[in-house]
Amino acid sequence: MVLFMSDKNSSNAMWGGRFASGPDAIMEAINASIGFDKRMAAQDIAGSIAHSAMLAKQDIITDSDAETIKEGLLTILSEIESGIFKYSTALEDIHMNIESRLQEIIGEPAGRLHTARSRNDQVATDFKLWTRDQCDAVILGLSALMSALVNQAEAGADIVMPGFTHLQVAQPVTWGHHMMAYVEMLARDRSRFVDARSRMNESPLGAAALAGTGFPIDRDMTAGALGFDRPSANSLDAVSDRDFALEFLSASSICATHLSRFAEELVIWSSAQFKFVALSDRFSTGSSIMPQKKNPDAAELIRAKVGRITGSFVGLLMVMKGLPLAYSKDMQEDKEQVFDAADSLMLALAAMTGMVADMKPNVSKLEVAAASGFSTATDLADWLVRELGMPFREAHHVTGSLVAKAEKQRCDLPDLSLDDMQAINNQITEDVFNFLSVQNSVASRKSYGGTSPEQVRLQVARWKEVLA
């Protein structure tokens, strides 16, 4: 069975009578987008079914033709899904490939489908539908990763670890608190995709080439059939807008940055020098020459994805920056950027979710590290303020002097004797030692959003309810 028209005349027929000969091979190569926009086949068919149903309701085509068109389009969808549909570069894009095949299947009624629409509003509609679907997929992926992090936080609410600033030990925190920090980041990412999805949910269909159409179409009907909130209000803007793609790429770039930050921590934490966490074999690889190696390759590749995704965002910004209204062929360069970024982001989310679900914190290593680097110095300063009534700046100075003494003696703050401390300030009492352990330090941080196990469990409960 012949599933497509492959000769040059088939593309001429799509263009109409304006051109006497087919395109040069080089022109065909630069002009064709079927190699990548075939990913929008399902969206294209959905848009065409909605359009033909509206045309019939408005008595622009007959009900019989609309039903024949629908049946033909569903047949094509089945061929595409089963892998037997043959794509032709001579037909340029997914829209022409489907229309040509529809002509083969149903004959004359296929020629009525394109009434009152243009490829300009058709491609804008398809691309919006595809991007909207991808937003939904990313939102689900983010929710899965957030759930994995919440589970880690719940299990590790009492585990102490070092908190860092400048990658130097700063104060003790809990493992659960650290995990919940990424939940908050990813929640903002999720809200950006939800927000972008809402803003893009206007239908371009019916804007035609750029000026609308003289046919009595019902744009509200097609918008509703495709799940849009409303039709777009300006036909020029409708066919030339790619803000929805830019917003998707912007949100993807920020999300990928968050994933990269966490991936960097996993690379550091899993190193022999830190040993804070053990990653499962499922997300690690070995070395071709060093048998002892267990490399965090999944984390490293996630870390690299941000460059690719952000590059797509910048690339599309450059495509769009100088385009006059309305449609220009430059905009064919929009889809590969979005497709590639979407693939990269979904893969990174899935890999990170797997790593987080499998990883095991090294409790003893984390606790030892949490107590290093004078991490409870702030607790000492706070005790001086709270118990001795010192101004904080004076307490800061006293604590700094005690840190210097401990450094000189090559010990940590809890290892100083009371005499050592009273040599710096004679008001210090034995009670201070009750506040210099890392466990007491984290337990005391009960302010809203703090690192205490109590606060972590409150946040875990809140997010479990939200994610449910």
Side-chain angles (χ1 to χ4, degrees):
M1 185 194 318
V2 177
L3 297 182
F4 66 99
M5 296 184 291
S6 59
D7 59 276
K8 292 293 194 290
N9 290 331
S10 64
S11 63
N12 294 348
M14 294 297 122
W15 291 347
R18 170 67 178 82
F19 295 88
S21 62
D24 182 88
I26 294 174
M27 180 59 194
E28 181 178 295
I30 196 172
N31 195 47
S33 59
I34 188 61
F36 52 85
D37 68 16
K38 61 186 177 184
R39 294 180 65 157
M40 302 191 302
Q43 289 78 18
D44 190 74
I45 287 169
S48 291
I49 290 173
H51 183 66
S52 63
M54 180 276 295
L55 293 177
K57 177 180 173 290
Q58 297 299 104
D59 294 323
I60 298 171
I61 65 174
T62 66
D63 289 339
S64 174
D65 280 349
E67 186 59 31
T68 300
I69 288 169
K70 179 180 178 180
E71 290 175 1
L73 288 169
L74 291 175
T75 298
I76 293 170
L77 182 60
S78 177
E79 292 175 352
I80 291 170
E81 289 176 342
S82 63
I84 65 171
F85 188 89
K86 303 297 183 183
Y87 299 99
S88 167
T89 55
L91 293 171
E92 295 185 33
D93 56 30
I94 188 59
H95 324 293
M96 292 300 200
N97 271 262
I98 288 175
E99 186 175 331
S100 174
R101 176 62 181 140
L102 186 65
Q103 179 78 36
E104 291 178 0
I105 294 172
I106 68 172
E108 184 181 359
R112 298 190 174 93
L113 172 59
H114 210 53
T115 307
R117 77 173 182 185
S118 160
R119 265 200 297 181
N120 293 355
D121 62 334
Q122 185 180 2
V123 68
T125 301
D126 294 357
F127 194 22
K128 263 197 180 182
L129 288 171
W130 191 94
T131 307
R132 190 182 70 182
D133 290 345
Q134 200 61 38
C135 283
D136 292 337
V138 172
I139 289 165
L140 288 174
L142 282 165
S143 297
L145 176 52
M146 291 165 68
S147 292
L149 286 162
V150 168
N151 290 338
Q152 279 282 352
E154 185 173 34
D158 295 299
I159 298 173
V160 292
M161 66 175 290
F164 297 92
T165 60
H166 311 280
L167 204 57
Q168 305 293 316
V169 174
Q171 290 178 292
V173 296
T174 53
W175 176 264
H177 193 55
H178 200 108
M179 296 300 106
M180 293 305 294
Y182 283 102
V183 172
E184 295 293 334
M185 284 189 212
L186 297 172
R188 292 193 295 274
D189 291 324
R190 194 173 69 160
S191 71
R192 273 184 277 271
F193 284 104
V194 170
D195 188 46
R197 187 196 193 283
S198 176
R199 193 163 22 256
M200 74 176 63
N201 210 31
E202 295 184 346
S203 174
L205 194 57
L210 74 163
T213 178
F215 289 96
I217 62 172
D218 184 349
R219 293 190 65 205
D220 287 295
M221 178 181 172
T222 51
L226 295 170
F228 288 111
D229 294 330
R230 64 192 72 83
S232 53
N234 184 285
S235 59
L236 279 168
D237 178 56
V239 298
S240 62
D241 166 44
R242 292 298 182 270
D243 287 1
F244 64 91
L246 289 168
E247 281 200 75
F248 176 82
L249 291 173
S250 173
S252 297
S253 298
I254 297 170
C255 181
T257 299
H258 291 153
L259 296 178
S260 180
R261 292 181 71 181
F262 193 23
E264 169 71 0
E265 292 200 312
L266 293 179
V267 170
I268 293 171
W269 290 355
S270 62
S271 69
Q273 289 69 32
F274 275 72
K275 292 185 179 177
F276 281 4
V277 67
L279 301 178
S280 75
D281 291 349
R282 295 198 309 142
F283 295 97
S284 306
T285 64
S287 166
S288 64
I289 191 172
M290 295 170 283
Q292 83 282 8
K293 294 291 293 297
K294 182 177 178 182
N295 300 323
D297 282 7
E300 291 171 3
L301 289 166
I302 290 170
R303 187 174 59 185
K305 291 293 184 187
V306 66
R308 187 167 182 155
I309 293 169
T310 304
S312 294
F313 177 39
V314 174
L316 185 54
L317 279 173
M318 294 302 100
V319 169
M320 297 302 299
K321 74 174 182 64
L323 297 187
L325 295 179
Y327 180 82
S328 297
K329 192 68 171 179
D330 310 51
M331 292 160 74
Q332 183 169 293
E333 293 295 313
D334 55 3
K335 293 164 204 66
E336 284 183 287
Q337 316 275 11
V338 175
F339 294 161
D340 186 76
D343 290 345
S344 295
L345 182 60
M346 290 303 297
L347 184 58
L349 284 169
M352 185 63 83
T353 301
M355 278 195 296
V356 169
D358 287 358
M359 70 183 182
K360 305 294 183 187
N362 187 333
V363 178
S364 60
K365 279 282 186 182
L366 289 168
E367 186 170 344
V368 169
S372 67
F374 311 106
S375 65
T376 56
T378 305
D379 298 273
L380 174 56
D382 288 346
W383 184 86
L384 294 171
V385 170
R386 188 172 54 249
E387 301 299 324
L388 304 185
M390 279 188 192
F392 182 78
R393 284 301 167 205
E394 183 182 345
H396 187 283
H397 178 77
V398 170
T399 301
S401 298
L402 287 167
V403 168
K405 181 180 279 288
E407 274 189 321
K408 189 174 182 179
Q409 296 184 17
R410 297 187 178 183
C411 67
D412 216 327
L413 284 173
D415 302 319
L416 290 173
S417 68
L418 181 60
D419 288 341
D420 289 332
M421 291 194 177
Q422 289 180 337
I424 301 295
N425 186 289
N426 60 15
Q427 297 180 68
I428 295 175
T429 67
E430 192 80 34
D431 185 50
V432 71
F433 292 100
N434 294 325
F435 296 87
L436 295 182
S437 73
V438 291
Q439 287 80 7
N440 285 339
S441 175
V442 297
S444 71
R445 310 290 174 180
K446 295 181 180 179
S447 57
Y448 179 78
T451 191
S452 72
E454 174 186 324
Q455 278 295 316
V456 169
R457 290 189 174 95
L458 285 173
Q459 295 300 328
V460 164
R462 177 174 73 88
W463 275 109
K464 287 179 82 169
E465 185 177 344
V466 170
L467 291 168

